[in-house]
Each structure stands twice: as C-alpha cells, then as structure tokens.
Amino acid sequence: MKEQNKNLNQAYIPTIEEMQIWYRDDLRKEALKSLKYENSKKIEEQGSFFKAFRRFEEIDDKIIFDSKKDNIYYEKYKAYVEEETANMGKKIQEIENLIQYEKFFLRFERRVNSETNNYSHYGSNSATRYRVDCIKKLGKELEKLLESSPEAWEFYYKCQLIGDIENQHQQRLVNVPYVAKAKQKVIDSLDLGVPVYIVGHLGSGKTQLAIEAAVDFTIQNKIQRELEDKMEDWFCRNPHATEKDAIQKFREFNEERILYYKNILTNGSKEEIEFLQPLFISGSHNLTYEDMFVEKTLSLEHSFSEGSYSDYLNMIIGDFYEWMDEHKERLEKMTDEEQLQLKIQIWKSFSDLLVASNSAFGTEIKKIEKEILIAVKEGRPVIVDELNTIAMQNLIALNDILQRHAGSTAYITGVGPVLIKPGFGFIGTGNLSTQTVNYEGTNELNPAFKSRFVTIEYNYVPQNIMGSLEDQEFPEKNELFRIILTQLADKNGNIHIPNSKRTLEELFRFSQLCRVTQNVFMGNWKDNEVELRESVLSIRNILHVLDNWNQGEEKDLSKALWDGFISSITYPDDQNYILSQAVRFGFFSETEGWKIETKGIGEANTTYDEIRTRPYHYVRPSIETLSYLDVVHLIFGKGTTRKTLPKELMEDFKYNIGDPLPIDTKKYEKLDQQLSHLEHSKDLLEYLEDNGGEE
C-alpha cells in the first residue's frame, strides 16, 4: 500500500483540459476499432474469392500513443466519466419515460373527453391540465440536468445523433428542430380531426414529411390503444399495484410496442408495412371525382371464372343442408319417398341456380372503392399529393368529409352516408408558386375550401450563411450542416474523412452555399436582382453532391459539386449565378486549376473545358477519424463544460496523492493557471535563448 501511494505521489498530475483531450483521443481510437470490426463482420458474409484477394490502403494513424495516458489519474478520470455517463443515461431515460407516461395518460384523457363530446373536440378539464403541467415540469427537470452535467449533455445529444443516423439509413427525414416541429404540427392537427395542407418549394421534402407524419400518427394511435388495453389487463391482475409499479410496467410495454412497430417498418412483410402506410393519391388536372371515391368499371365475366369445382360443390352442400334444417318439421310429416323426391328437386334447383349465377358471359358494371373512401371506412390517413393541380369542381366533393370529425357521418355523392372511423386523417401537399417560380398546372385553391385546412408552409431547413465554422456562436442552429454530417457518419456516429479540419470547413461553406441558393430560389433574398428560376441546391441535390464526393475518395468537393449538380443545370443564368456563388464561398479555386469567368444574362451554358486550366489530378489527403463526441460538439455546440473536477474525483485524487491538507477547487484552479503560465514562460525563454536574445 505504501509503495502504491509512493508511485501515485510521483505520478504526473494532469490538468482537466489535458484529461479531456486524452479522453477524446481515446474515443477516436475506439472509432477506428469499431470501423475495423464492422468491416470484418461484412467480410465474413462474402465468398472465398473476395476474402482471398482483398487489399487495403496503407494507413498513417495520426493518433500517436502518449505514455501519459497510462497516468493513474487519467485512468481514474476516464473511469469516472464512463460510470457517470451511464448513471446520467439512466436518469435521462427515467425522465423521458415519465414524460411518455404523462403523454400517454393525457391522450387517454382526451380520447375519453372526445368520445363523451361525440368527437366534436378534446375538451379541457382538471385531469388534462394536471398532465400538461406534469409534462412541462419534467421537461424543465431534463433541461436542468443537461445544464448541470457534462455527461448527461453528451449522453442526450449522442442519442440525438444516433437517432438522426438511423433516420437517414431508413431514408427518413433527419429530425432537426425545423422538421420535428413541422411534423408534430401535422400530427397534432390530425389528432384534432383537422385536415392539413402542406405547401413548399421543390425538393423541400413536403411529400416525405406528409408520409412520415401519417405513419407516425397511425403507429401512435395503435400503440396508444394497445397500451390502454395492456395496462388495464395488467392492473386487473395486480389490483394492489402502486402508480410507481404502473410506470415501470408502462415502460416495459411501451418499449416493446415501439420496437415491434420499428421492426415492421424495417423488416416487416409487404402486407404489414402497407397496413401502416397512408393511402396515397397523386394529384393531376385530369383527376376526377370517381378517381378519389368510387370508380365504375366494366368487368368481363366468364363461366366459373374463380375458385375450384370443389369450392362450388361445398357451397351447394352448405345451402342444401341449411334449407333442410329450416324445413325440418315439414319434411318429418312426409313419407320417405316424398322426402327423397323433394330433396332431389331441391338439390337440382340449387345446382341450376349456382350454374346460372356463374355462367354470365359479357360485361358488368362494378364499383371499385378508391383511396379516400377506403381511408374513411377503415380509419386510415390519406395523402393527396399536389392537391392544387386538381380541378376545383372536383375538390368541392371533399367538403363534407373535410369538415366532419371521426365518429360522425359524412355524405359522399354516389355512395351515401359513410361513418368516419377514428384514425382517418387527410393531408394535402402543394408546390408554392412565387412571382419568379411558377409550377405549371397548379391552381390557387378556393379560399372557402382552403379555410377547412391547417396550412403549413414547409421549406428548406435553417442554416447560418455568415461566418466560418469555428466562429459559430450557436452551431445547433445550423440544421443543414447537421444533415450533411449525418449523411457522412457511420452507424456509431463516427466520421472518417480526409484532412478533417479543412474538409469540415469546406462542408460548412457548402451548407452555406446551399442555403444561399435556397434563399434566392424562394425569393426571400435578392442578390443584385438575380433570380433562380429552375435550379436550387435542395436536400435531394445536396445528397447527389455528397454521394458523388464519396467522402473524398476520388475527388475533392469542388469537382463533386460540378459533377453532381452544376454540370446538370440546363438554364444558363441559373448555372452562371450558382457558379459565381460557389467561387464566393471558396470553391473552384484558381490555384487548383479552375477559372470561373462571370457571364452575362442570356449567355450560353458553361462547359467543363471552359473552367479547367489543366487536367484534373487529385491527391487524397490522409483519412482522419472523428469520434461521435467530436460530431456531437460540431452539431450541438460545446455543451456543458467542466471547469473543475467533480468533488468525488477531487477527493480521490487528494487521497491518492497523500496530501494531508485538503485543497479546494479555487486553489486547484489557481495552481493550474500558475503552472500553465510557467510553462508558457519557459517556452518563451528557450525561444529567446535559441535566437540570441533577438526579437
């Protein structure tokens, strides 16, 4: 024990900043190991030829081993951080479960209120207000925890990052605040039975938003009903259980149901997935009333066109025995011979009727129910894409449905009164025209018709277009940059890119360039009165560029920007303006063989040969690894910083050092500052000595 304390006393005592840097380096090493492990798993699934002749690039690992990382104090610091992160994670999950429980009960209360009021509205009462207040209180408790603990902050936002990556892998929208708020607004409107009209510019993702909101709305309703039944059944079997027990049981049921539906969406059968998806109609000027509700069609009928002969024989036998049961008393009054003759005649009659009913040859008029009628009857959401392309006289047929709530009856022309089943929701989408951008075939909706909707304008996600990556005061507001980084991250949240510092700065400037084109396209910002008519770096075009760049494997970002987007612009003025803006944001540098000359309005398109001064040659820099924590800080900011060691760790350090005198936090900080100042002074003196005292 004495020898151990002696070694500890002689060990180097690192500063907080040093231990944080070492910890981040360790996370980057873990990211590299994780990448190799994932690659190894994929290799095992391949054939022997692939395994035998695989080759790898030579990797220069820049994360150099530092002997100080064997430091006993750092090991204790690292163990503390890992344990504290796990503990904070449990606390966060407990709070989030309580929030989910309160929301579950709030929806329960509102459903009961809605049914009591014949589905006319939710209604507010003391019980619903209690749940709303609890949700707010728990939200503040979570905020306070994130503000007080670095480990809680890092755990929470790592979960956000991993969730973003999962959404991206499932081809869903990344749940940045702009997307989350719009989606929740759609779901809240559907909960209230109010139809939604989503308008926006091309490539903003409004149709995808409508689909995801409809799916989430459907799954939320299913989980809600299933949890109500499960909790009721559980409590009937455990009548003496406390609410604490109920909350724990709710967590088990809720997590199981969420996982169940998540697995269906990723690995379910075609029928299971379709059952959760909304019904969908693509709007057009030619779309008629019948296309939305009931379509009349001519059907060519053939003799015994469906089923096997044994099926038809079973039908006759069933009908025959049913007839005998109905006339049992009458048959018993007959002789055996009379019964036999009558049965023969009845059997023959049934046979003749069956043949006659299945011997039609020719055409018959049949009615086929279409998407909106099916959605109303089955209680499912329906999306009418490009709603404002449909002729107004056909849209008017929707009026009665749009103003009715679930549980009430709507009148449908050609069908009659139809009960609207709970779960029904109506979402329309439409392109937003401006003075400079007009989408052919779109119409302005009748104000009276449009007033039946909650209209949501959904466009491109926010991004700051001023300043560099390093001087962003509120990085969490750069939501477009967040989407770009999510696209590049592996499933663990790590990113592997060449020359990370330069590449990250380029990606940030790329996100700024994208937002400028979006602003100009929407008409929100005019630069020298220039307008974009057809082209914009929308999310789908951004992804084209990133896929073309492929994390810098074969080309730099400027070349990928040209190949993946600018070269395909067919309207010359759009191409000229976007090229000029790309140069303004640091792309297509002359030192790298590019020469972009500004063209006048109306001139021809720019070709690749015009802007290259020499053959393109790309030398890929060394690949560097960023851990999930690096990415979290890039997206969400520095977070909750640790300026002092935690009390329990300070005491542990003090005990191990063997210092009989307690040292408080302020003294520790002051000593740390003095040591840093002395180290700086030492470096300065050495520099002056090496240069003969000259400046």
Side-chain angles (χ1 to χ4, degrees):
M1 183 68 180
K2 289 182 179 179
E3 184 65 26
Q4 182 183 5
N5 283 337
K6 182 179 178 182
N7 292 335
L8 288 169
N9 288 335
Q10 294 174 348
Y12 171 73
I13 306 176
T15 64
I16 298 173
E17 288 76 13
E18 282 180 303
M19 290 189 288
Q20 288 174 334
I21 291 170
W22 295 349
Y23 182 67
R24 288 172 188 170
D25 283 349
D26 278 349
L27 289 179
R28 292 175 191 132
K29 282 191 172 183
E30 290 299 319
L32 278 172
K33 290 180 183 177
S34 173
L35 179 64
K36 292 175 183 177
Y37 174 72
E38 291 298 326
N39 286 338
S40 298
K41 285 201 305 184
K42 293 174 186 175
I43 293 166
E44 291 303 316
E45 300 171 1
Q46 308 306 315
S48 55
F49 170 78
F50 180 83
K51 295 176 184 177
F53 297 104
R54 288 189 83 220
R55 299 293 182 267
F56 302 91
E57 65 169 337
E58 293 183 6
I59 298 177
D60 180 19
D61 189 355
K62 290 191 176 182
I63 301 177
I64 303 171
F65 178 76
D66 191 332
S67 61
K68 290 181 181 178
K69 290 186 184 180
D70 279 340
N71 184 282
I72 187 65
Y73 301 108
Y74 168 67
E75 292 300 324
K76 288 183 176 294
Y77 170 82
K78 182 179 178 182
Y80 167 81
V81 169
E82 291 174 348
E83 183 180 359
E84 186 70 3
T85 300
N87 292 335
M88 289 297 106
K90 290 177 182 177
K91 285 187 178 181
I92 289 171
Q93 289 170 345
E94 286 174 3
I95 295 173
E96 289 179 331
N97 178 61
L98 286 171
I99 292 173
Q100 290 299 316
Y101 175 77
E102 297 297 342
K103 287 183 176 180
F104 158 74
F105 230 112
L106 178 61
R107 286 191 291 266
F108 206 156
E109 292 279 5
R110 285 177 170 169
R111 179 182 66 78
V112 172
N113 281 349
S114 181
E115 291 175 358
T116 303
N117 291 288
N118 198 25
Y119 295 98
S120 61
H121 60 90
Y122 276 163
S124 173
N125 58 32
S126 179
T128 59
R129 290 191 290 273
Y130 171 82
R131 300 296 173 182
V132 168
D133 291 343
C134 284
I135 293 168
K136 288 181 180 178
K137 183 179 177 182
L138 288 166
K140 290 179 180 178
E141 185 179 333
L142 179 58
E143 287 178 10
K144 187 176 179 181
L145 182 64
L146 298 181
E147 290 171 357
S148 63
S149 168
E151 287 75 29
W153 187 91
E154 289 171 8
F155 177 89
Y156 181 81
Y157 285 105
K158 179 188 178 183
C159 290
Q160 296 263 322
L161 173 62
I162 298 302
D164 287 350
I165 293 166
E166 288 179 356
N167 283 333
Q168 186 270 324
H169 287 172
Q170 295 166 13
Q171 297 183 332
R172 286 170 60 93
L173 297 170
V174 176
N175 209 36
V176 296
Y178 181 79
V179 173
K181 289 176 183 177
K183 190 183 295 184
Q184 192 58 51
K185 192 172 182 180
V186 175
I187 294 172
D188 290 344
S189 296
L190 296 179
D191 278 334
L192 290 167
V194 180
V196 181
Y197 183 41
I198 306 172
V199 294
H201 288 283
L202 67 86
S204 61
K206 55 188 177 295
T207 302
Q208 184 66 21
L209 176 76
I211 293 171
E212 291 184 19
V215 170
D216 292 350
F217 169 72
T218 297
I219 291 176
Q220 176 182 289
N221 286 341
K222 289 183 179 299
I223 290 178
Q224 178 71 23
R225 289 193 294 269
E226 290 165 6
L227 288 178
E228 289 175 12
D229 293 339
K230 284 178 174 288
M231 293 301 294
E232 181 65 27
D233 180 64
W234 169 80
F235 191 70
C236 287
R237 289 183 282 105
N238 301 273
H240 301 295
T242 64
E243 188 167 26
K244 184 178 179 181
D245 298 329
I247 291 170
Q248 179 58 39
K249 185 55 64 175
F250 167 82
R251 180 173 182 172
E252 295 174 17
F253 288 150
N254 189 39
E255 288 177 352
E256 184 273 327
R257 287 289 85 191
I258 290 172
L259 183 61
Y260 171 77
Y261 285 108
K262 184 177 179 180
N263 287 336
I264 286 180
L265 291 175
T266 53
N267 303 309
S269 65
K270 181 181 177 182
E271 293 75 17
E272 288 175 324
I273 294 173
E274 285 181 353
F275 187 64
L276 299 178
Q277 294 289 332
L279 295 160
F280 194 90
I281 297 175
S282 294
S284 71
H285 184 71
N286 298 322
L287 193 76
T288 64
Y289 169 86
E290 288 79 10
D291 294 328
M292 295 187 287
F293 292 99
V294 178
E295 180 183 8
K296 293 179 181 179
T297 182
L298 294 176
S299 175
L300 182 63
E301 298 295 334
H302 296 279
S303 178
F304 291 93
S305 58
E306 295 180 0
S308 64
Y309 291 116
S310 61
D311 292 335
Y312 292 115
L313 183 59
N314 289 333
M315 287 172 59
I316 297 174
I317 293 171
D319 291 340
F320 180 71
Y321 278 112
E322 185 178 344
W323 181 89
M324 285 200 301
D325 287 339
E326 291 176 357
H327 298 83
K328 184 177 181 181
E329 293 182 4
R330 187 177 177 184
L331 288 170
E332 288 175 350
K333 294 177 181 178
M334 297 181 181
T335 63
D336 291 343
E337 181 64 25
E338 288 174 335
Q339 286 187 37
L340 178 61
Q341 292 300 320
L342 182 59
K343 289 176 182 178
I344 291 172
Q345 290 299 321
I346 295 298
W347 177 266
K348 188 174 183 302
S349 297
F350 275 127
S351 300
D352 292 343
L353 287 170
L354 181 69
V355 171
S357 63
N358 287 278
S359 297
F361 185 83
T363 58
E364 291 184 359
I365 296 176
K366 284 192 173 183
K367 291 183 178 181
I368 300 175
E369 294 183 350
K370 303 296 287 185
E371 285 79 5
I372 294 180
L373 183 56
I374 294 171
V376 169
K377 285 186 171 182
E378 295 184 0
R380 296 172 62 184
V382 61
I383 297 171
V384 181
D385 200 30
E386 310 295 353
L387 182 70
N388 56 346
T389 63
I390 303 172
M392 198 64 232
Q393 63 266 27
N394 292 324
L395 288 177
I396 291 174
L398 295 169
N399 280 353
D400 200 44
I401 291 176
L402 297 179
Q403 63 190 17
R404 302 287 180 180
H405 294 275
S408 61
T409 300
Y411 183 82
I412 299 175
T413 305
V415 178
V418 178
L419 179 68
I420 301 177
K421 192 173 179 181
F424 170 73
F426 187 98
I427 306 174
T429 71
N431 283 317
L432 188 63
S433 296
T434 65
Q435 292 180 350
T436 58
V437 181
N438 184 42
Y439 299 96
E440 186 177 349
T442 59
N443 313 297
E444 273 297 320
L445 295 181
N446 182 309
F449 178 77
K450 191 176 179 181
S451 67
R452 290 172 167 82
F453 293 86
V454 167
T455 300
I456 299 173
E457 184 172 336
Y458 180 78
N459 282 305
Y460 310 108
V461 301
Q463 172 66 40
N464 188 2
I465 59 174
M466 303 299 292
S468 65
L469 175 60
E470 292 184 356
D471 62 15
Q472 293 299 302
E473 187 176 357
F474 302 104
E476 66 276 10
K477 293 185 177 181
N478 295 309
E479 297 180 23
L480 183 54
F481 184 58
R482 172 176 168 180
I483 291 173
I484 289 172
L485 291 187
T486 300
Q487 180 72 15
L488 303 177
D490 63 25
K491 71 175 188 177
N492 298 310
N494 309 309
I495 291 179
H496 313 275
I497 50 177
N499 193 345
S500 59
K501 185 173 182 178
R502 175 180 172 177
T503 300
L504 287 171
E505 184 61 45
E506 282 187 336
L507 289 169
F508 186 75
R509 285 188 274 109
F510 174 58
S511 67
Q512 292 177 312
L513 168 64
C514 295
R515 184 63 202 187
V516 166
T517 70
Q518 294 165 5
N519 285 338
V520 175
F521 186 79
M522 291 187 294
N524 292 345
W525 178 51
K526 293 184 179 180
D527 185 12
N528 297 326
E529 300 300 319
V530 177
E531 300 167 347
L532 291 174
R533 289 179 52 184
E534 299 176 359
S535 306
V536 60
L537 275 161
S538 62
I539 289 294
R540 80 170 63 106
N541 285 327
I542 290 170
L543 297 183
H544 289 165
V545 173
L546 292 177
D547 289 342
N548 201 286
W549 177 59
N550 195 22
Q551 294 176 303
E553 184 170 271
E554 296 177 303
K555 61 183 74 172
D556 64 11
L557 202 52
S558 291
K559 184 68 160 54
L561 181 56
W562 171 263
D563 292 343
F565 176 63
I566 297 177
S567 63
S568 63
I569 299 174
T570 57
Y571 188 69
D573 291 345
D574 283 4
Q575 187 191 51
N576 183 38
Y577 179 75
I578 292 174
L579 263 174
S580 68
Q581 291 302 305
V583 172
R584 187 165 76 87
F585 280 100
F587 297 99
F588 303 107
S589 168
E590 288 190 12
T591 59
E592 295 178 355
W594 302 96
K595 188 175 182 181
I596 310 296
E597 294 183 354
T598 303
K599 289 186 175 182
I601 295 175
E603 292 191 39
N605 267 60
T606 299
T607 64
Y608 178 74
D609 291 336
E610 287 180 64
I611 59 176
R612 279 302 296 179
T613 59
R614 59 177 183 265
Y616 183 78
H617 179 66
Y618 174 64
V619 178
R620 183 178 63 252
S622 298
I623 299 296
E624 297 173 3
T625 295
L626 301 175
S627 73
Y628 74 84
L629 188 56
D630 295 319
V631 180
V632 164
H633 285 301
L634 283 167
I635 293 175
F636 301 106
K638 295 181 179 178
T640 304
T641 56
R642 177 184 285 110
K643 296 180 180 178
T644 61
L645 287 174
K647 184 179 179 181
E648 53 267 49
L649 203 56
M650 283 283 289
E651 290 176 353
D652 195 21
F653 275 32
K654 179 188 67 177
Y655 171 77
N656 286 321
I657 292 170
D659 186 357
L661 298 174
I663 178 169
D664 61 24
T665 303
K666 291 183 179 179
K667 288 183 179 179
Y668 182 88
E669 288 179 353
K670 186 176 180 181
L671 179 61
D672 185 40
Q673 290 174 358
Q674 290 173 343
L675 288 172
S676 298
H677 181 72
L678 286 172
E679 288 177 3
H680 176 73
S681 301
K682 176 176 173 287
D683 293 338
L684 183 61
L685 287 170
E686 290 176 351
Y687 173 82
L688 291 172
E689 287 175 358
D690 293 340
N691 289 274
E694 297 179 2
E695 291 187 3

